[in-house]
């Protein structure tokens, strides 16, 4: 019976340690809404930061971040995943026209540049492949690029 009790206690301790350690980074971080303004009072940017609890130092951006021109128009929209990696980005001219977009998934990046009319100027798909041989590591980038005339023809 003493063996069964000890084994049960060991299982309970293992479960407590597992769940206690698995959330250790979330215990050290908290999410904080950030809103910065220009001197004229209009918003420069807003978004969510993961902040280290002990120091209050921002650790990484999370979710959607918006950046604005001094006149209040949206300049850039960026989206970050839960690890703080950029996964989507869009840039706009001061009149609100989309000028650039980028979507990132693991090792593939889709990038598009736009004319001021809103038509596509350049489309690019990049894939980065990393290979290792012993201590040597190399990176190869493959890219497909399409360039369009102002009238939309390839």
């Amino acid at each position: 019976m003493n063996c069964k009790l000890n084994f049960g206690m060991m299982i309970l301790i293992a479960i407590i340690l597992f769940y206690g350690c698995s959330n250790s980074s979330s215990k050290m971080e908290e999410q904080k809404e950030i809103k910065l303004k220009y001197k004229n009072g209009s918003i420069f940017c807003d978004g969510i930061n993961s902040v280290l609890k002990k120091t209050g130092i921002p650790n990484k951006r999370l979710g959607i971040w918006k950046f604005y021109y001094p006149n209040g128009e949206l300049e850039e929209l960026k989206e970050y995943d839960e690890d703080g990696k950029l996964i989507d980005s869009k840039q706009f001219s001061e009149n609100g026209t989309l000028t650039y977009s980028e979507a990132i998934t693991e090792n593939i990046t889709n990038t598009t540049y736009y004319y001021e009319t809103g038509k596509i100027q350049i489309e690019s798909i990049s894939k980065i492949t990393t290979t290792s041989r012993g201590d040597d590591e190399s990176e190869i980038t493959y890219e497909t690029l399409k360039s369009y005339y102002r009238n939309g023809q390839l």
Side-chain angles (χ1 to χ4, degrees):
M1 178 155 178
N2 198 11
C3 262
K4 287 182 183 179
L5 182 62
N6 287 341
F7 181 72
M9 286 296 280
M10 287 176 22
I11 295 293
L12 182 61
I13 290 170
I15 290 171
I16 291 170
L17 286 174
F18 175 75
Y19 283 109
C21 292
S22 65
N23 293 325
S24 62
S25 66
S26 65
K27 290 178 183 176
M28 295 171 54
E29 297 176 353
E30 62 186 359
Q31 292 184 3
K32 184 177 180 184
E33 187 174 343
I34 305 294
K35 191 174 280 194
L36 301 175
K37 296 186 177 186
Y38 287 103
K39 286 183 180 180
N40 69 8
S42 66
I43 298 172
F44 167 70
C45 71
D46 62 18
I48 305 281
N49 253 0
S50 169
V51 178
L52 299 175
K53 284 184 180 180
K54 277 189 172 183
T55 61
I57 296 173
N59 188 29
K60 58 190 170 195
R61 291 179 179 170
L62 302 171
I64 295 175
W65 275 73
K66 296 177 185 177
F67 297 83
Y68 300 89
Y69 288 104
N71 66 6
E73 290 293 321
L74 184 63
E75 179 179 5
E76 195 166 7
L77 186 69
K78 292 181 176 265
E79 185 177 355
Y80 298 86
D81 67 11
E82 63 276 355
D83 295 323
K85 293 179 184 173
L86 182 65
I87 58 174
D88 194 59
S89 178
K90 292 182 178 19
Q91 294 176 1
F92 302 88
S93 66
E94 280 195 74
N95 66 9
T97 305
L98 182 63
T99 59
Y100 172 87
S101 68
E102 180 177 67
I104 304 163
T105 54
E106 292 184 32
N107 61 342
I108 298 175
T109 303
N110 293 306
T111 306
T112 307
Y113 293 88
Y114 299 88
Y115 287 108
E116 60 280 351
T117 61
K119 289 187 176 183
I120 296 173
Q121 181 180 12
I122 298 171
E123 286 180 304
S124 167
I125 300 173
S126 301
K127 179 179 181 181
I128 298 173
T129 304
T130 305
T131 57
S132 298
R133 286 193 180 146
D135 291 342
D136 294 335
E137 191 172 284
S138 63
E139 206 173 77
I140 300 171
T141 301
Y142 300 95
E143 185 170 22
T144 302
L145 190 68
K146 292 181 188 177
S147 184
Y148 296 86
Y149 291 101
R150 289 187 178 276
N151 65 8
Q153 286 186 322
L154 204 57

